[in-house]
Amino acid sequence: MRFSFDTIRASSLLPARFRAGGKLEKHGPDISKSATQTKEAEIAARLARFAHVPVSDVFGLEPTWSPDGLSEETAAEILNTHGLNTPVNERPLAALSILWTALWNPFNVLLTILALINIATNSVPTFVVMIAMVVASTSLRYWQEMKSMVQALKLVKSIVTRVRVIRGVNSIPQEIEIDLRHVVPGDVVAVASGDVFPGDSVIISAEALAITQASLTGEILPIDKFVRVTAADESDPFHLLDNHNICLAGTSVATGNGRAVVVSTGKDTYMAAIAEELNRKRPENTIQIGIRKVSYILLAFMAVMAPAVFVVQGAVSKDWKGAVMFAIAIAVGITPEMLPMIVASNLALSAVRIARQKVIVKRFDAIQNLGAVSVLCSDKTGTLTADLVRVAKSVNTKGELSDLPIKLSFINSLLQTGSRSPIDRAILDYIGEDEKDSFSDVQLDGWSKLGEVPFDSTRRMLSILARRPSAGEGEPLIITKGAVEEVLERCVSALKDEEFSKPIVDIGFDSSSSTTLTEVNRLEILNSAKRLNEDGLRLIAIASRKASLKMGASISTEDEEDLIFVGFIALLDPLKPDAAEAIQKLGNLHVQVRILTGDAPAVAAKVARDLGLFNPLNLTKVTDARSPKDEEAASDMSSERINESRLIVTGPQLAELAKDRELLNETIERAVIFAKLSPYQKLEVVKALRAGGGGRAVAFLGDGVNDALAIRGADVGISVDSGTEIAKEAADVILLEKSLGVVARGVVEGRITLLNTVKYIKMACSSNFGNVFSVLVASAWLPYQPMLPLQLLVQNLLYDFSQASIPWDNVDPEYLERPKTWSAWSIVRFMICLGPFSSPFDIITFAINWFHYKIRTLDSPLVPLAQTNWFLEGSLTQFLRTHKIPFFQSRASLSVVLVTFGMACVSMAIPYIPKINSALQLTPPEPMFYTYLLGLITGYAIVVHIVKNIYLWVFKGEWL
């Protein structure tokens, strides 16, 4: 529908609620604000002011605006006030910020503090070792994140877009091209197929205008837009993403052309509001929370144990200075010095592995977070589906399969002029890809067009007058395709059932081949359409009739009457080929998949049904993290018929439930499909899922502007290289190909990384705790230090270096089946329950030194021998890698075996190496001690295996 600007100039009196109060303010037309009003509500209120008035009154809202466009002077003044139209700026390469993030790690801070204490007490070697650990782990993390950031920034390329606007040049309205950044509120923009709206705009003129807003809503089919003719009622709601005359910045024209007046630009647009939300501080993810808790617990143990050792050692030895040094060594001993290095190595190795799968990891710890994920929220369009419109089937009036509707629609789409819509391309592709020559009659008949009535958003249909050359002077056909209700309204009859099996040339398309439509018939057709819609299919109705010869070569809308209804073309966005397989893999990994989309509920439900997301297997994936009540509900769900309607919730429904937080959370916890969501609602759903089940890790996969907030709010945000700039900026991980299979592989890699890291920290902490426990006993019994601070540090480092190969270690398959995360209390339990069981063997070593070697005084010349004996025994009693029998039930990787064996050999060799043994004050042990040592190691292995099994029984199979 075209409205002349003369009509627009003739503004009628405006309702008071729409009147402007003077000049346009910097942040758009003045609207009332409340303290609780969200940014989204403010934008909606601003745009509703223009959306609810008839097109003839739009320019009456702002005195400086004109249908002839802004003058150059006015535009310059507004540009000076508002600034450039740049809602999203490309971030510079923040090298210092990345360095600070890599450095600011709880364990790095802990090691740095201990290093400073050591340098203050002149313990230079210890200081050097600790600082080296900090530098190594920080450098590795910084290098990997910088490398990933550079790759990510290469994907984000800004292009200067030209926009056609109406400007008053020398007081004469002219259509000129300007840089998108120079568009200002009040500009009248001219748009045609392929153009992008430079700001949030209101339509003032439209001819068959349809826009694509998949990046905001996920709806793959274009949305018709047209001008408002009459004012809206005050009670009429305004939906920001579901209206007929507002086009948001970043959406583009699919078909048709028109003009719009820009209401908001730059930071005042809806897209900019999303970008502003993204600039807020990101919440801690599950892994970061876990690491922080573990750090606090280690600090607490250090705060208790170090002073205790200081008091006991000082009281027994009377050497308080030596007691201070020993207490510092104990503090060092409790700390897993290599943890930052182990974590960084783990993540770097996993990043290399994942990079081979065409994945860029922007944030280092995202790999561990993937391993902890138990819920994957995914956008539908382009992620689970192919992001293409395809013909699903061609059916008659009863919904039964028939080729006739697709044949007629092919002729219509082939002969129409102007740009073809995605629906037209889908129809042509469907016929073109036919391998059985089922449509050779329409492809080879050489149909020619005699006339056309183009599509417009009012009629919502397109008609072609066509004839085959073989028909000679026969009557041509009018072939109409369009929206179901509108086409059916113009039909007076329906094609008889027996006609569908005939070739088109043999069908009369007149009263002899059709039956009159009754109200019952119309209801049956609408019911057929409803059933197809409920199956997630979009429908195009097809109608036809013979045309009179007198019509010549032209037709008009008046000829779109007395049509014969033929059937429907059912369209859908097909599933990606690997989607179902990937969902199955994620299911086997106990990751539940939920769909969050701006698309219609029926469409999302169709996708979920085809992927098996409504199966009990997917619905019960996260019950491990739920309460017993939830588990009971899940059990009932699997034994009874699933009510799909209870698993689907829409954005408007969530908005209604916002008043009852408990009911809202219960609904979010239950639902699998979230449809018609705004970007802010997607974020709220992700937050609620993260908080549910006692706290769980949630990943979000999406590529549109509407996904950016949820991507950033998730524990792991995933986007794709073809996604929008905002989505890629918000993401932790960028997929170079849209595939859930890559995500499934990433989950496995994440779990391997996480489990190997947890394996190290549990072993290190339990070992260190056992050593400290032994030291307390020794301090109260022995008159000499059982091991010098430097010896204790070297022993610690040798053990830590033996664990440097942990990133390459194997993980028992059963541990990869379920999500894992950092559990501070699990580490504490492991440390307290298993650590002290090394102490009896340490005490036996003390007893051997006391009773066999008679080392009982501080000034005994054999004190270095006693310290050497415990150094060796403590270095060789570490068997906590797995709860199974090593080498028989669980085999470590070759690299772990070689490195561990190598470090054991180094430990055995140190007392014999000149200069090194003297520097460490160690001495070669007596040969007889090796007999004791063999017995101690054997006894330790047996006892530890028994204790491991008791631990597994008490804590219900928990190990890592």
Side-chain angles (χ1 to χ4, degrees):
M1 183 178 295
R2 168 73 72 177
F3 281 80
S4 71
F5 288 157
D6 290 335
T7 305
I8 295 176
R9 288 192 190 95
S11 299
S12 58
L13 292 174
L14 296 174
R17 65 189 173 115
F18 296 126
R19 290 193 189 121
K23 282 185 68 176
L24 180 68
E25 295 297 327
K26 181 176 180 179
H27 297 291
D30 187 31
I31 59 171
S32 60
K33 299 181 181 179
S34 66
T36 58
Q37 194 174 29
T38 66
K39 185 72 174 178
E40 186 177 30
E42 292 176 14
I43 293 171
R46 181 188 307 139
L47 294 176
R49 181 166 170 255
F50 292 88
H52 280 167
V53 300
V55 64
S56 57
D57 295 343
V58 166
F59 290 95
L61 294 172
E62 292 296 334
T64 58
W65 295 4
S66 167
D68 290 334
L70 301 172
S71 67
E72 290 291 340
E73 294 77 14
T74 303
E77 183 181 341
I78 297 175
L79 181 64
N80 185 56
T81 303
H82 283 258
L84 291 174
N85 181 26
T86 52
V88 182
N89 295 319
E90 183 177 332
R91 291 189 308 178
L93 190 61
L96 291 177
S97 175
I98 295 173
L99 177 61
W100 176 253
T101 302
L103 182 62
W104 187 254
N105 175 289
F107 291 104
N108 279 349
V109 173
L110 186 58
L111 286 176
T112 303
I113 292 172
L114 289 173
L116 293 175
I117 293 174
N118 276 279
I119 195 64
T121 54
N122 295 319
S123 183
V124 177
T126 307
F127 169 79
V128 171
V129 170
M130 289 189 165
I131 291 299
M133 292 297 100
V134 173
V135 171
S137 64
T138 300
S139 300
L140 188 57
R141 179 181 289 261
Y142 176 73
W143 172 78
Q144 181 63 32
E145 293 204 3
M146 278 289 293
K147 178 182 173 184
S148 297
M149 183 62 73
V150 169
Q151 289 177 299
L153 286 176
K154 287 179 181 177
L155 296 174
V156 183
K157 296 180 179 179
S158 59
I159 42 178
V160 177
T161 304
R162 309 294 292 180
V163 179
R164 290 178 294 125
V165 301
I166 311 300
R167 286 277 177 91
V169 181
N170 297 325
S171 301
I172 301 174
Q174 295 182 22
E175 185 176 296
I176 61 174
E177 275 197 359
I178 64 171
D179 192 315
L180 177 144
R181 295 173 298 175
H182 297 154
V183 174
V184 297
D187 263 328
V188 175
V189 296
V191 291
S193 181
D195 289 339
V196 176
F197 284 91
D200 296 343
S201 311
V202 59
I203 298 297
I204 59 173
S205 172
E207 287 186 352
L209 183 64
I211 71 161
T212 299
Q213 54 182 32
S215 64
L216 286 174
T217 65
E219 294 177 288
I220 188 170
L221 291 178
I223 308 299
D224 293 335
K225 294 288 183 178
F226 43 84
V227 299
R228 175 175 286 282
V229 180
T230 59
D233 293 335
E234 294 200 20
S235 59
D236 286 351
F238 173 73
H239 298 289
L240 195 58
L241 299 174
D242 187 13
N243 58 76
H244 295 299
N245 63 339
I246 294 293
C247 299
L248 298 175
T251 59
S252 60
V253 178
T255 59
N257 59 78
R259 290 186 177 183
V261 60
V262 177
V263 177
S264 304
T265 60
K267 62 183 180 300
D268 298 324
T269 62
Y270 187 60
M271 183 183 290
I274 295 175
E276 182 181 340
E277 184 72 24
L278 293 173
N279 286 331
R280 299 184 183 219
K281 184 179 180 181
R282 187 169 190 163
E284 283 187 314
N285 57 51
T286 305
I287 298 298
Q288 290 170 329
I289 293 171
I291 290 176
R292 176 166 49 80
K293 289 181 178 178
V294 170
S295 304
Y296 291 158
I297 288 173
L298 290 178
L299 283 171
F301 268 100
M302 188 188 303
V304 171
M305 299 299 289
V309 168
F310 167 71
V311 171
V312 173
Q313 180 70 24
V316 171
S317 66
K318 307 303 180 182
D319 180 9
W320 292 100
K321 183 178 179 181
V324 169
M325 297 300 296
F326 197 67
I328 292 173
I330 292 301
V332 174
I334 293 175
T335 307
E337 302 90 348
M338 286 285 288
L339 182 60
M341 186 67 179
I342 293 291
V343 172
S345 300
N346 254 319
L347 296 177
L349 181 62
S350 295
V352 170
R353 288 173 180 163
I354 292 179
R356 293 173 189 153
Q357 307 293 336
K358 298 183 178 180
V359 177
I360 293 175
V361 180
K362 286 177 58 183
R363 200 172 72 172
F364 224 20
D365 60 5
I367 301 172
Q368 284 191 89
N369 286 326
L370 269 176
V373 164
S374 59
V375 176
L376 172 64
C377 298
S378 176
D379 184 32
K380 176 187 66 66
T381 306
T383 305
L384 301 174
T385 62
D387 196 11
L388 293 170
V389 179
R390 287 289 181 262
V391 174
K393 54 185 173 181
S394 170
V395 298
N396 61 19
T397 55
K398 297 179 180 178
E400 300 167 346
L401 293 177
S402 170
D403 286 340
L404 183 59
I406 190 66
K407 289 179 178 180
L408 291 172
S409 65
F410 172 77
I411 298 168
N412 179 292
S413 297
L414 183 67
L415 299 180
Q416 73 168 78
T417 56
S419 59
R420 290 194 173 110
S421 70
I423 294 173
D424 293 316
R425 289 192 290 272
I427 292 170
L428 296 177
D429 290 344
Y430 184 83
I431 298 292
E433 294 167 2
D434 173 49
E435 297 178 353
K436 300 179 181 179
D437 294 330
S438 304
F439 308 112
S440 57
D441 53 336
V442 294
Q443 288 179 295
L444 304 177
D445 274 1
W447 289 82
S448 59
K449 183 176 70 172
L450 303 178
E452 176 181 359
V453 184
F455 177 89
D456 68 54
S457 53
T458 303
R459 291 168 33 256
R460 301 179 68 198
M461 64 182 70
L462 183 149
S463 296
I464 293 289
L465 179 64
R467 173 188 284 162
R468 296 187 308 276
S470 59
E473 296 299 321
E475 293 180 333
L477 288 179
I478 292 179
I479 304 173
T480 300
K481 76 172 188 290
V484 174
E485 291 82 359
E486 281 75 2
V487 171
L488 183 59
E489 186 180 340
R490 305 205 178 213
C491 294
V492 294
S493 58
L495 200 65
K496 292 179 179 178
D497 292 346
E498 58 268 20
E499 300 295 318
F500 284 95
S501 59
K502 299 178 181 179
I504 295 179
V505 68
D506 296 332
I507 302 175
F509 290 107
D510 53 21
S511 58
S512 64
S513 59
S514 62
T515 56
T516 304
L517 278 176
T518 64
E519 288 303 316
V520 174
N521 298 142
R522 292 179 185 276
L523 186 59
E524 289 174 349
I525 291 173
L526 290 174
N527 285 336
S528 294
K530 182 180 179 183
R531 286 194 299 272
L532 291 167
N533 282 143
E534 288 174 348
D535 200 25
L537 299 172
R538 304 291 180 89
L539 299 181
I540 299 297
I542 306 298
S544 185
R545 72 172 173 87
K546 276 190 176 180
S548 173
L549 282 175
K550 65 181 180 181
M551 297 176 66
S554 64
I555 57 173
S556 66
T557 56
E558 295 176 358
D559 298 302
E560 294 176 323
E561 301 290 345
D562 302 329
L563 298 173
I564 300 172
F565 196 87
V566 176
F568 308 103
I569 303 300
L571 303 148
L572 83 166
D573 182 5
L575 295 178
K576 301 192 75 173
D578 66 338
E581 182 184 355
I583 293 291
Q584 181 65 40
K585 288 180 180 178
L586 288 167
N588 293 338
L589 294 169
H590 286 79
V591 176
Q592 187 192 51
V593 179
R594 306 194 187 197
I595 296 177
L596 276 63
T597 180
D599 211 340
V603 177
K606 163 71 173 172
V607 171
R609 204 174 297 116
D610 291 346
L611 290 174
L613 298 187
F614 289 144
N615 292 341
L617 185 65
N618 183 64
L619 299 178
T620 58
K621 287 302 174 193
V622 293
T623 55
D624 290 345
R626 295 182 181 179
S627 65
K629 181 179 177 182
D630 293 322
E631 292 187 15
E632 183 181 348
S635 176
D636 293 341
M637 192 182 301
S638 62
S639 61
E640 299 176 2
R641 178 178 172 81
I642 295 172
N643 183 359
E644 292 183 1
S645 62
R646 284 176 50 79
L647 304 176
I648 303 172
V649 65
T650 65
Q653 290 171 339
L654 288 179
E656 287 296 320
L657 291 173
K659 302 167 188 173
D660 187 339
R661 196 71 197 178
E662 184 177 345
L663 183 58
L664 174 66
N665 290 336
E666 181 184 331
T667 302
I668 291 175
E669 195 69 26
R670 181 183 68 240
V672 173
I673 304 298
F674 298 84
K676 287 290 181 185
L677 296 184
S678 74
Y680 289 90
Q681 286 178 320
K682 286 188 177 184
L683 175 60
E684 290 304 315
V685 168
V686 167
K687 286 180 178 178
L689 289 174
R690 288 185 65 188
R696 61 166 76 96
V698 176
F700 188 93
L701 172 59
D703 59 357
V705 174
N706 59 330
D707 301 319
L709 294 180
I711 287 172
R712 188 175 181 276
D715 290 282
V716 186
I718 310 170
S719 188
V720 295
D721 69 326
S722 58
T724 60
E725 179 181 333
I726 290 180
K728 288 185 290 191
E729 283 284 327
D732 305 309
V733 175
I734 297 178
L735 309 181
L736 298 182
E737 61 180 37
K738 285 185 178 181
S739 172
L740 277 181
V742 175
V743 178
R745 291 191 291 273
V747 168
V748 173
E749 283 293 339
R751 289 183 187 176
I752 292 173
T753 301
L754 181 59
L755 288 170
N756 278 334
T757 304
V758 171
K759 185 189 302 179
Y760 163 76
I761 194 171
K762 282 191 172 183
M763 290 191 299
C765 287
S766 63
S767 172
N768 293 349
F769 181 71
N771 286 342
V772 171
F773 194 80
S774 299
V775 165
L776 276 175
V777 174
S779 297
W781 174 18
L782 304 176
Y784 55 85
Q785 291 182 353
M787 202 182 298
L788 297 176
L790 186 57
Q791 294 169 348
L792 191 62
L793 178 64
V794 170
Q795 185 192 63
N796 249 353
L797 289 177
L798 284 173
Y799 173 72
D800 287 339
F801 281 125
S802 74
Q803 302 306 305
S805 58
I806 280 287
W808 287 268
D809 194 15
N810 300 325
V811 174
D812 296 332
E814 59 267 30
Y815 291 122
L816 298 177
E817 293 176 358
R818 294 179 181 275
K820 303 290 180 182
T821 187
W822 283 64
S823 171
W825 289 115
S826 175
I827 293 172
V828 170
R829 282 196 301 267
F830 193 96
M831 181 169 66
I832 293 176
C833 293
L834 278 84
F837 281 92
S838 65
S839 294
F841 298 92
D842 294 335
I843 294 171
I844 291 174
T845 304
F846 300 154
I848 291 171
N849 291 330
W850 185 276
F851 295 106
H852 180 81
Y853 294 110
K854 310 296 184 183
I855 307 172
R856 300 177 180 177
T857 61
L858 179 63
D859 56 358
S860 171
L862 295 179
V863 167
L865 178 65
Q867 293 169 338
T868 301
N869 290 343
W870 190 38
F871 177 87
L872 291 176
E873 183 269 337
S875 299
L876 299 177
T877 49
Q878 306 291 343
F879 297 104
L880 297 178
R881 175 189 163 273
T882 176
H883 69 279
K884 300 177 181 179
I885 300 175
F887 302 107
F888 295 98
Q889 295 179 329
S890 177
R891 296 183 181 180
S893 66
L894 180 61
S895 58
V896 170
V897 172
L898 292 177
V899 172
T900 303
F901 182 73
M903 287 299 107
C905 291
V906 171
S907 300
M908 299 280 288
I910 283 177
Y912 297 93
I913 301 174
K915 294 188 179 180
I916 293 180
N917 57 8
S918 58
L920 296 176
Q921 298 183 43
L922 296 174
T923 186
E926 292 185 0
M928 180 62 187
F929 178 73
Y930 288 108
T931 304
Y932 291 128
L933 185 61
L934 181 62
L936 288 170
I937 293 173
T938 304
Y940 176 75
I942 294 171
V943 170
V944 163
H945 187 69
I946 295 171
V947 172
K948 285 192 290 187
N949 282 283
I950 295 172
Y951 179 88
L952 288 168
W953 178 72
V954 172
F955 295 107
K956 300 179 180 178
E958 176 195 289
W959 184 252
L960 294 180

